[in-house]
Amino acid sequence: MVQLTRIYTKGGDKGSTSLGSGKRVKKHDLRVTAYGTVDEANAAIGVARLHCRDAGGGDIDAMLNRIQNDLFDLGADLCQPEDPKDYPPLRVVEAQVERLEHEIDRLNAELEPLKSFVLSGGTPAAAYLHLARTITRRAERDITALMDHEAVNPAGLRYINRLSDLLFVMARYVNDKGRADVLWVPGKNR
């Protein structure tokens, strides 16, 4: 278990930080960028949860609570590039990806098929879920950029990809199951 007794260490005052392995890297290192964006997505989901408790019932909030914990797992996975010999690192596993797929399928089954792209909005809960979705997509781009240079757990990439899909479906779900969606009208304001 993690125990934090000191919040500041001054270790990053010169622009570097430690990975889970103890290796020091620049704060703009691709790996740090990837898990930093995952953390940002997690924070956005926390804000979305404030609005989802009333919008989609406790079910959506419970899903988002599990996702927030999973995103910490993903951050831990990303910050530990090597497998240490003395202990197994925390890695995202396929079961976490499959859980997201089941949740997507279950929620999407209650939605009408889309006939246009959806604009962020409708209800506050949906707008914040869309914001979390776009940050999650950026995290996915950051992880794939990292993958061009270093090894990354493939289940972690699958997880973040499914998560953005689930956040889209959740946004529609809390928008009165899609009835309050704001649809894109191509060329409407020409």
Side-chain angles (χ1 to χ4, degrees):
M1 187 53 92
V2 175
Q3 182 178 356
L4 300 174
T5 55
R6 284 184 50 199
I7 301 304
Y8 66 91
T9 64
K10 300 182 183 179
D13 289 353
K14 293 184 180 174
S16 67
T17 190
S18 291
L19 298 178
S21 64
K23 177 183 175 185
R24 301 287 300 176
V25 297
K26 293 287 189 182
K27 288 192 174 193
H28 60 269
D29 182 89
L30 290 174
R31 187 166 293 279
V32 177
T33 298
Y35 68 72
T37 309
V38 168
D39 189 36
E40 186 181 346
N42 202 339
I45 288 170
V47 173
R49 286 185 67 193
L50 297 173
H51 299 278
C52 289
R53 289 187 179 123
D54 299 327
D59 193 32
I60 296 291
D61 185 55
M63 282 187 246
L64 291 172
N65 182 50
R66 286 189 297 272
I67 288 164
Q68 284 193 291
N69 200 81
D70 285 351
L71 288 175
F72 259 78
D73 289 355
L74 179 56
D77 186 329
L78 288 166
C79 88
Q80 181 69 342
E82 301 90 22
D83 287 347
K85 293 176 180 39
D86 51 344
Y87 64 92
L90 181 61
R91 299 285 184 224
V92 171
V93 297
E94 203 58 41
Q96 290 168 291
V97 177
E98 291 169 2
R99 189 191 75 239
L100 295 183
E101 291 172 349
H102 294 301
E103 291 171 343
I104 292 167
D105 293 342
R106 185 169 60 82
L107 294 177
N108 201 47
E110 297 185 44
L111 303 175
E112 292 293 320
L114 278 171
K115 295 182 172 82
S116 180
F117 287 103
V118 175
L119 303 177
S120 298
T123 63
Y128 281 112
L129 285 166
H130 280 297
L131 177 62
R133 174 187 56 78
T134 63
I135 296 169
T136 299
R137 283 287 189 212
R138 180 161 33 92
E140 182 180 11
R141 292 189 301 273
D142 291 343
I143 292 169
T144 59
L146 173 62
M147 289 175 72
D148 285 348
H149 301 279
E150 299 181 43
V152 172
N153 174 8
L157 178 62
R158 286 192 292 277
Y159 184 90
I160 204 78
N161 183 274
R162 294 307 179 285
L163 176 56
S164 60
D165 295 335
L166 177 57
L167 292 169
F168 176 78
V169 170
M170 282 180 169
R172 294 198 64 222
Y173 191 87
V174 301
N175 251 351
D176 194 20
K177 296 186 179 175
R179 290 183 282 276
D181 282 343
V182 180
L183 300 179
W184 174 49
V185 179
K188 177 182 178 181
N189 299 310
R190 287 190 203 184

